[in-house]
Amino acid sequence: MVRKIAILGSTGSIGRNALRVIDALGPDYKVVALTGHSNVELLAEQSRRFLPDFIGITDPSKAGELKERLGGAGGRILAGPESMTEIAALDDVDIVITAVVGAAGLEAVLEAAKKPKVLAIANKEPLVIAGELLTATAKENGATILPVDSEHSAIFQALQAGNADEVNKIILTASGGPFRKATAEQIEKVTVKEALAHPTWSMGPKITVDSATMMNKALEVIEAVWLFDTPVEKIDVLIHPESIIHSMVEFVDGSVIAQMSPPDMCLPIQYALTYPRRLEGISSHIDFGKMGSLTFEEPDRSIFRALDLGFEVARMGGSAPVVFNAANEAAVEEFLAGRIKFVKIVELIEHCLNIHDIKSKMSLDELLEADRWARGQVHERLRALERIG
């Protein structure tokens, strides 16, 4: 049976790798829809190569250019942010890969969860912002949520070695980013260029900065709570700079099951597409004779303060993760634009959490309003500090 796939965010790093994986898997995996934001040249190139039935461009001002570049090739063009939601809801889609950075794709993911599709989630925000709503919607409608994130894919695979009630601990591994050995004094002087120099992974700028602050791991803790229906007290984080063990599960008998592979996103993408089968693909294999040693260490929580915040926010629940994520997105934008220091990112997140009145059982509109509130508070705080200083 042919699996029909839509990729939300096909021009990003996950989307590009997903297309490489699909291309290698052959005719049993067909791209029926692609979406991009403003990279018209690449979206047009992808569309000419894979000939999807639907092509979404979320920046409506680029629709004309996209049509011109396609010259009649490819399928129907949908324009505007709502194009992602339209594509996610298509009956002729079996698997929706969500790879849109930030909260932008949340509505589309929730729409996909209303039908018995596979949701292959690569970005953290849907489960961080709307974990309770998304998992409940998926369960009610027979949708299946599969992780594409390398750490959560590793956990998902390791959990198959036992039953849920036999799990003692989930251990998320982290590369430690570029500042694993940095002092507080060095962190104070971090530049944008330094923050974007990840030692292991090649990712987009926002995700790379999140790795540098270890905010990515904080978000993964929250995500794991919902993905695996696990209390936050059973989740731990270890630094593993080689990025060969992508995460581990410890069972009550003391057995630890680890998923290992070279640091390559193609493998978790492929497993989400082929699950429950395993097929040959384009990912490289480990040469244990040449691999060398594997090392582990505790993260320095005095340097990576976002990590403890993530555990605290997971315990708070409700609207706290929404504020946590949105404040981070806004603060990272300010850092990448050179308007704030690296250390200010976590300070701004803490400020928003401190003044936020947590709410629970929220609708999509309420979640999005909390998201807007947090972003507004970041900018308001910065304006106030400018007036003071």
Side-chain angles (χ1 to χ4, degrees):
M1 184 180 73
V2 175
R3 295 191 177 187
K4 298 175 182 178
I5 303 162
I7 304 176
L8 308 182
S10 66
T11 57
S13 61
I14 293 291
R16 295 194 303 272
N17 278 321
L19 288 172
R20 289 177 57 219
V21 168
I22 293 165
D23 195 30
L25 286 173
D28 287 343
Y29 297 83
K30 175 177 170 51
V31 176
V32 298
L34 297 173
T35 80
H37 178 57
S38 59
N39 190 342
V40 177
E41 183 177 358
L42 180 55
L43 184 58
E45 180 186 319
Q46 292 173 340
S47 299
R48 286 192 299 269
R49 167 67 183 83
F50 290 92
L51 299 176
D53 299 324
F54 297 89
I55 307 158
I57 182 81
T58 58
D59 182 349
S61 70
K62 302 285 187 178
E65 183 185 348
L66 177 62
K67 185 176 181 180
E68 185 178 328
R69 284 182 178 274
L70 285 172
R76 179 184 166 198
I77 296 174
L78 305 174
E82 63 275 10
S83 63
M84 287 194 294
T85 305
E86 290 180 59
I87 284 171
L90 290 170
D91 289 328
D92 200 31
V93 170
D94 304 312
I95 302 173
V96 179
I97 299 177
T98 67
V100 180
V101 175
L106 178 57
E107 190 171 351
V109 176
L110 285 166
E111 193 63 34
K114 293 177 182 177
K115 297 185 178 182
K117 302 177 186 290
V118 170
L119 278 64
I121 297 181
N123 57 316
K124 299 171 176 60
E125 290 81 9
L127 284 157
V128 171
I129 296 172
E132 185 175 14
L133 180 60
L134 177 57
T135 52
T137 303
K139 185 176 181 180
E140 182 180 338
N141 295 283
T144 301
I145 298 174
L146 295 179
V148 170
D149 196 25
S150 61
E151 290 84 357
H152 294 101
S153 177
I155 294 165
F156 177 65
Q157 293 177 61
L159 284 170
Q160 293 169 44
N163 298 320
D165 61 357
E166 297 167 346
V167 174
N168 188 52
K169 188 189 298 183
I170 286 173
I171 304 165
L172 287 159
T173 58
S175 69
F179 309 126
R180 180 169 60 93
K181 297 293 187 181
T183 64
E185 291 74 22
Q186 289 169 326
I187 290 291
E188 280 282 342
K189 300 173 184 177
V190 164
T191 66
V192 172
K193 183 178 179 181
E194 289 169 338
L196 292 177
H198 196 282
T200 308
W201 296 94
S202 176
M203 307 173 289
K206 191 268 181 184
I207 300 172
T208 306
V209 173
D210 282 353
S211 180
T213 60
M214 284 198 74
M215 180 71 178
N216 68 322
K217 215 51 52 178
L219 294 171
E220 285 171 17
V221 167
I222 300 166
E223 193 179 4
V225 168
W226 293 110
L227 263 176
F228 308 115
D229 193 20
T230 301
V232 69
E233 290 75 21
K234 284 192 171 186
I235 301 172
D236 199 3
V237 173
L238 273 180
I239 300 288
H240 171 52
E242 294 83 8
S243 297
I244 295 295
I245 292 179
H246 298 292
S247 278
M248 300 175 273
V249 174
E250 179 187 272
F251 291 92
V252 290
D253 62 356
S255 296
V256 177
I257 308 298
Q259 188 269 328
M260 305 171 68
S261 63
D264 174 7
M265 284 304 300
C266 290
L267 193 149
I269 291 168
Q270 177 171 309
Y271 191 60
L273 293 175
T274 65
Y275 175 79
R277 299 178 65 202
R278 293 184 184 273
L279 302 177
E280 286 188 38
I282 57 175
S283 298
S284 57
H285 293 219
I286 294 175
D287 184 335
F288 284 94
K290 297 179 180 178
M291 185 171 61
S293 61
L294 300 178
T295 57
F296 303 91
E297 59 194 61
E298 293 284 349
D300 186 339
R301 292 170 187 263
S302 66
I303 297 292
F304 299 111
R305 294 191 297 116
L307 191 54
D308 278 344
L309 271 183
F311 279 92
E312 186 180 343
V313 164
R315 283 187 282 270
M316 291 177 183
S319 55
V322 186
V323 171
F324 186 58
N325 177 76
N328 176 63
E329 283 191 21
V332 169
E333 283 180 10
E334 293 295 312
F335 170 69
L336 286 171
R339 291 190 287 266
I340 64 171
K341 294 170 66 176
F342 182 75
V343 292
K344 201 71 182 174
I345 295 171
V346 175
E347 290 176 19
L348 288 165
I349 297 167
E350 283 181 310
H351 169 75
C352 291
L353 287 170
N354 287 338
I355 64 173
H356 178 62
D357 184 16
I358 297 173
K359 298 179 177 62
S360 59
K361 296 285 183 184
M362 301 171 75
S363 67
L364 175 59
D365 287 344
E366 289 170 326
L367 290 167
L368 293 175
E369 177 54 37
D371 182 277
R372 285 190 290 270
W373 176 87
R375 294 171 194 274
Q377 288 301 316
V378 166
H379 297 121
E380 189 173 312
R381 176 65 171 170
L382 289 175
R383 286 192 294 269
L385 291 173
E386 282 178 11
R387 289 194 296 270
I388 294 169

